[in-house]
Amino acid sequence: MLALCGVACGEISSSSSKTSKNSLRMHHHQLTCIIVRSDTAAMMLLVANFLAASTVHASPPTPSPNSYTLALHKALMFFNAQRSGKLSDHNHVSWRGDSCLTDGKPSTAGSLTSDLVGGYYDAGNAIKFNFPASFAMTMLSWSVIEYNVKYEAAEELAHIKDIIKWGTDYFLKTFNNSADTIDRIVSQVGLGNTDGGKDTTPNDIYCWMRPEDIDYTRPVTECHACSDLAAEMAASLAAASIVFKDNRAYSKKLVHGAKTLFKFSRDSRGRYSSGSSDAALFYNSTSYWDEYIWASTWLYYATGNSSYLQFATTPALAKHATFSQAPNHYWPNHGVLSWDNKFVGAQVLLTRLRLFLNPGYPYETTLRRFHNETNTIMCSYLPAFTIFNRTRGA
C-alpha cells in the first residue's frame, strides 16, 4: 500500500493559457499523481513519484548514482522482471528467461485465441490479470505524455516505451482487434486457488514456482459482460496511441482496438469480477462508471472526436461515478486514484482540457464541476489538511 505523493496546488501560469486551441496534445505541467493498491499498478506510482520529484531542465546536470534517475531506472526494471513470454536479449534481468510459451494453447472449439503469450505477471504469482495491468499501462503512457522530456533526459524514454508496448501488444491478443464489434475478451490467464491446498490441481497460487518452470496448462478466463475491464483496456490503448503517434500504423491499430473495446463496454454492460471468483478475490471492481469517463476522455484525446467528450461529460454519468465511490465515505475514497477508481484521474484530464482549450457549451457545466472538485482534491493532499494518512517525512 502506497501513501501520498506531492501535488502542486495553485493557479496555472499565464503562459500556459497561450497554448493553441487547435491541438489536442497533452501539455507538460508540474503535477504528480496519487495511486494506491498493490503489485504492477502500484509500481507505476513509484515511477510517477520519481519523475515528479526530479526537476529536469533543458540542460540537466549529470545525475549522480544516488539520484532520482537511478531510482527511476530501478522502478522500471520491475516491469522487465514481470515479463511473461519469450524475452528479448535486452531484458536486462539475468535471472529471468522465457516462460509460459503455451498460454492460450491448445485452443478449443469456439475459443477466442490460441496465442496469449506475453504480457505481465501480476506479482509474486504468475497470473496475468488484465484489469490492473491495463491500468498500469494507461498510467505509464500518461507519464510519458506528461514527462517525455524528463524520461529522455534520464535516458529512459526508449525503455519506458518498450515496457508500454510489451503490455499493449499483449492486450491486442486478448480480443479480436481487427473487428469493429466483439462479444468477449480475455480477462485472465492462470488461476489462483486459495483453498489452502485442498485442491491439488496445479495453479499459480498453490504451486508457487518460477514462471520458467511452469509446465501445466494454464486456464484462460473470458468475459462477455465486462464494461469496467473493456473500458480500462480501451483507455490503455488510447493513451498508448498518443505515446506511439510517430509510429502511425501502430498508433492507428491501437486507436481502432480502443474504439472496439469501448463499444463492447457499452453494448454488454456488467462488472468483470461479478462472474469470476478469482477476479472478485484479487481485483474486485466496484463499478464501471469511472472507467466509462476515463476511457472516453482518453479516446477524445487520442481521436479528437467530440462524441467521446460529450459522453465523458454527461451529467448522469458523473453522478453515477460519484456515488459509486462509497457514498458514506466520500472522502478519502473519492480522491484516491487506483486500479479500482479512475474518476479522479479523469477529472484531472478533463480539467486540463477546460484550462487549455475551454470547449464551452455543452460541456461547461460538467467540466466546471470537475474543475472545482479537482481543486479541492489537489489541495486536500497538502500537509495542512488531515484527509489522508501520511508516511513519515511526507
Side-chain angles (χ1 to χ4, degrees), residues 98-294:
D98 298 346
S99 60
C100 295
L101 300 181
T102 60
D103 279 355
K105 300 181 178 67
S107 60
T108 58
S111 66
L112 181 60
T113 180
S114 61
D115 179 12
L116 291 172
V117 177
Y120 290 99
Y121 298 123
D122 177 53
N125 61 68
I127 303 174
K128 296 190 291 194
F129 289 107
N130 277 19
F131 193 52
S134 55
F135 172 70
M137 294 303 106
T138 307
M139 294 303 295
L140 287 176
S141 290
W142 191 0
S143 75
V144 172
I145 294 166
E146 295 282 4
Y147 300 111
N148 185 283
V149 173
K150 291 190 176 185
Y151 272 117
E152 192 167 23
E155 298 182 349
E156 288 286 4
L157 183 58
H159 186 193
I160 183 64
K161 292 177 73 173
D162 181 60
I163 288 171
I164 294 169
K165 191 173 186 298
W166 189 273
T168 53
D169 281 351
Y170 173 72
F171 297 145
L172 289 171
K173 293 182 177 183
T174 62
F175 69 101
N176 185 355
N177 67 77
S178 64
D180 295 327
T181 301
I182 57 176
D183 64 356
R184 53 186 162 162
I185 58 178
V186 170
S187 61
Q188 176 184 331
V189 176
L191 187 65
N193 190 307
T194 57
D195 66 0
K198 297 176 182 177
D199 183 356
T200 58
T201 302
N203 70 80
D204 299 293
I205 295 294
Y206 178 69
C207 298
W208 209 344
M209 66 178 73
R210 297 189 331 138
E212 290 83 355
D213 295 333
I214 292 177
D215 59 0
Y216 53 85
T217 300
R218 285 150 52 85
V220 174
T221 303
E222 297 180 0
C223 62
H224 296 260
C226 37
S227 301
D228 36 19
L229 172 60
E232 180 55 59
M233 289 174 62
S236 71
L237 298 188
S241 75
I242 302 173
V243 172
F244 295 104
K245 62 182 182 297
D246 292 336
N247 184 342
R248 294 184 63 182
Y250 189 62
S251 181
K252 184 177 179 180
K253 185 175 184 179
L254 292 173
V255 168
H256 182 269
K259 291 178 178 179
T260 298
L261 286 165
F262 190 63
K263 182 179 184 300
F264 171 62
S265 75
R266 297 183 64 188
D267 289 345
S268 302
R269 295 195 178 188
R271 291 186 304 112
Y272 95 106
S273 55
S274 62
S276 171
S277 58
D278 263 15
L281 180 63
F282 293 104
Y283 291 103
N284 185 50
S285 174
T286 53
S287 78
Y288 51 78
W289 304 109
D290 55 319
E291 279 86 12
Y292 272 173
I293 301 176
W294 177 245

Side-chain angles (χ1 to χ4, degrees), residues 309 313 353-355 358-372:
L309 178 60
T313 55
L353 174 70
R354 183 174 190 254
L355 288 169
N358 190 22
Y361 179 85
Y363 319 110
E364 175 61 18
T365 300
T366 299
L367 291 179
R368 185 192 306 117
R369 172 192 165 180
F370 285 174
H371 190 170
N372 291 337

Side-chain angles (χ1 to χ4, degrees), residues 319-340:
K319 181 179 179 180
H320 280 301
T322 298
F323 284 99
S324 69
Q325 306 304 320
N328 293 327
H329 304 281
Y330 187 74
W331 295 96
N333 292 357
H334 173 72
V336 176
L337 178 60
S338 76
W339 53 262
D340 188 35

